[in-house]
Amino acid sequence: MSSGKKIFLANFWRRVKTTVVSLAILQSVTTLSVSAQTDTESVVTISYTELLANVKENRVQKIDLESNGLAAEAVLKDGGRRVRVDLIARDGNTELMKALRENGVDTAVKAPQQPTLIWQLVSTFFVPMLLIFILLMVLRRLSNAPGGPGQTLSFGKTKARFSPEAKTGIMFEDVAGIDTAKEELQEVVTFLKQPDRFTAVGAKIPKGVLLIGPPGTGKTLLAKAIAGEAGVPFFSLSGSEFVEMFVGVGASRVRDLFQKAKDNAPCIIFIDEIDAVGRQRGSGIGGGNDEREQTLNQMLTEMDGFQGNSGVIVVAATNRPDVLDSALLRPGRFDRQITVDYPDYKGRQEILKVHARNKKLEENVSLESVARLTPGFAGADLANLLNEAAILAARRYKEAIGELEIADAIDRITIGLTMKPMLDSSKKRLVAYHEVGHALVMTLLKNASLLDKITIVPRSGGIGGFAKGVPDEEYGLESRSQILDTITMMLGGRAAEEVVFGDAEITTGASGDFQQVARLTRLMVTQFGMSDLGLGALESESGEVFLGRNMMPQNDYSVKLGDRIDRQIRQIAQNCYYTAKRLIEENRDLCDRLVDILLDVETLDGEEFRKIVAEYTKIPEKKTASVKF
């Protein structure tokens, strides 16, 4: 909207409000004057029957009849009191006229009482103006509402937030732990700042950069850093903002977005969650040429069509690259696909340093140790970790974050909230044996994880306790012996229950362990080639029907081979269970002592647990090093 139009509308609304206020004041003054006049004359309204009775009893001194025969005003003899009467016009008031003649009452005819000029003006103009004002207010509110009449012409306009100077407040120095992605994107910034450096050797500016990675790894943060470093105009929006229920609106918004970008080139367009609009065309049951597909077609044309997009770089982010249309991913549209993965140990350390800038940490807190305890954490998870630790420190009235707060925050994020300790001694002892079974088997197996902590303090989600190992940095590459020891450790809790309490007293506490065991054993047989069935992947991950894949998963083996797979899965699980049960039976006295200690202190550190175990038996040397703050 132009500035002249805005000034005109502002003056118009000011005049309307001034007029309405003036009329309201005028009505109030008129009402007060009329009421004052009425109070001064003290005219009382009486009934027709009462007036007729006063006339017959000769109490009326004078009467004035209105010419329309609808009303009369009389003066009584007792003190000159004035009264007013509504007459019955249809019978001509013959009885009243007869009584007036018989009693010799002074009778006169006058014009009907008319309101004053001011009151006529108010009644004529105020009510229509009030109705017009209310109507204008309603129309104004409707025009400002989303999708209202005032937005009809701008319905197909883009909703992208435009920043002419891209003051995001984020620079590359604020992004840590993803150095490879930063190096790739640094070239994009150089393209925008020094295009002649690349065009001199025949290089072309990339049209699109696709950031791929799990949630929380810093894709949006990287886009803000690109805009902050380049200092060029920056358009930002989400993929869902293109899609509307009306056909053609999304495509219109794409055209409008790229037209504005061309007018402000060189510039950056950032589309977050592009999978909302860039999914595979024709996917789902029946396919269909819906609004989303038309929007995607228009985006494909704008990125690499007949018209050029010189100086416009599209940066998009998604955590679902598998659902994107292949035409969107080809060179010429998204020339670069940069994977923003989970940070490694050094990356986590740098991320923790960035987020610890505004946190008060105790001197003995080591961010290196925190980084080793958090493999698989994304940047957002690490930021949440330090924030939870700060909340716990404030709740405990501490001036700085300590080791205990960080350890509790890690447990809270990975396992759940701490609940009140159990009071039932029998149930508490059963949980203690279950967790000691996990921890003892974990400690005695060479290829299992190193025990970090064991506790019988309940957690949210129905967790009675847990035995947690130190996570392995190389969690994506496990050997067959490591997987088997992991399965054996998971079955250690049920094995301890059976050895100590017998078959009749085993509980449902191992249900979650069994689910993990079933998943790992099936992967070993059908995908990892770690069974007697030999090498080969017998199953693949099932695709989603709405991505254009099969509705029912297809097995690449016969029914006979499926029976052999089931037998192999059961055999692996049984062998691991027998190993766990044997370890518990051979160390029954040690198991009892560990339970007694755990019932007393409720939580044992991994190092303390291993010292007790070392008094009874030899502990194999682990590959994973112990981690301490």
Side-chain angles (χ1 to χ4, degrees), residues 147-432:
Q151 295 186 354
T152 303
L153 297 179
S154 63
F155 197 64
K157 301 297 182 181
T158 178
K159 295 184 178 181
R161 276 74 63 189
F162 175 63
S163 178
E165 298 181 3
K167 295 181 179 179
T168 60
I170 304 296
M171 307 297 283
F172 276 140
E173 63 182 13
D174 300 316
V175 182
I178 41 180
D179 296 335
T180 303
K182 285 171 58 176
E183 291 176 3
E184 292 283 343
L185 295 173
Q186 184 66 49
E187 294 184 1
V188 176
V189 176
T190 309
F191 265 122
L192 294 171
K193 286 186 174 181
Q194 303 173 0
D196 297 338
R197 174 182 169 186
F198 296 91
T199 56
V201 295
K204 294 182 179 180
I205 187 171
K207 294 184 178 180
V209 178
L210 182 62
L211 303 177
I212 301 172
T217 51
K219 300 183 294 297
T220 305
L221 190 66
L222 275 173
K224 293 180 179 180
I226 296 173
E229 291 282 348
V232 296
F234 184 71
F235 293 87
S236 62
L237 73 164
S238 173
S240 60
E241 295 182 23
F242 288 114
V243 182
E244 290 282 352
M245 64 179 293
F246 302 106
V247 177
V249 174
S252 175
R253 289 178 178 174
V254 172
R255 288 191 296 270
D256 183 64
L257 172 63
F258 278 87
Q259 183 58 47
K260 290 182 178 179
K262 293 175 186 177
D263 296 339
N264 293 274
C267 70
I268 296 174
I269 299 175
F270 175 61
I271 306 175
D272 200 5
E273 306 296 343
I274 194 174
D275 51 275
V277 69
R279 287 177 177 264
Q280 297 177 13
R281 289 169 292 181
S283 60
I285 302 175
N289 188 21
D290 58 1
E291 163 66 5
R292 181 183 55 77
E293 292 192 1
Q294 293 191 23
T295 306
L296 176 58
N297 292 335
Q298 186 64 44
M299 184 176 295
L300 296 175
T301 304
E302 294 290 343
M303 291 189 69
D304 188 23
F306 285 101
Q307 297 180 353
N309 277 336
S310 178
V312 178
I313 297 180
V314 181
V315 180
T318 181
N319 52 20
R320 294 293 308 276
D322 56 311
V323 306
L324 296 180
D325 194 275
S326 57
L328 192 65
L329 299 177
R330 73 162 175 83
R333 292 197 172 104
F334 282 108
D335 302 280
R336 293 190 176 185
Q337 298 181 25
I338 300 175
T339 301
V340 186
D341 210 343
Y342 291 110
D344 56 7
Y345 163 67
K346 292 184 179 180
R348 293 194 301 274
Q349 190 174 340
E350 295 299 323
I351 293 173
L352 288 170
K353 289 180 181 179
V354 171
H355 293 297
R357 292 174 182 173
N358 59 347
K359 304 287 191 306
K360 292 183 179 181
L361 301 177
E362 294 181 355
E363 295 182 357
N364 59 346
V365 173
S366 172
L367 294 180
E368 291 82 0
S369 299
V370 179
R372 289 196 179 277
L373 287 170
T374 53
F377 274 48
D381 298 326
L382 295 173
N384 184 42
L385 168 63
L386 291 182
N387 185 62
E388 288 289 343
I391 293 174
L392 289 175
R395 186 181 301 170
R396 296 167 182 174
Y397 300 98
K398 297 182 64 175
E399 296 181 355
I401 302 172
E403 298 176 354
L404 181 61
E405 285 72 35
I406 293 180
D408 290 343
I410 293 175
D411 292 341
R412 181 174 184 176
I413 293 172
T414 57
I415 300 174
L417 296 175
T418 303
M419 310 295 288
K420 292 182 179 180
M422 291 181 290
L423 299 178
D424 187 355
S425 59
S426 60
K427 184 177 180 181
K428 191 173 183 179
R429 178 172 290 273
L430 193 148
V431 173

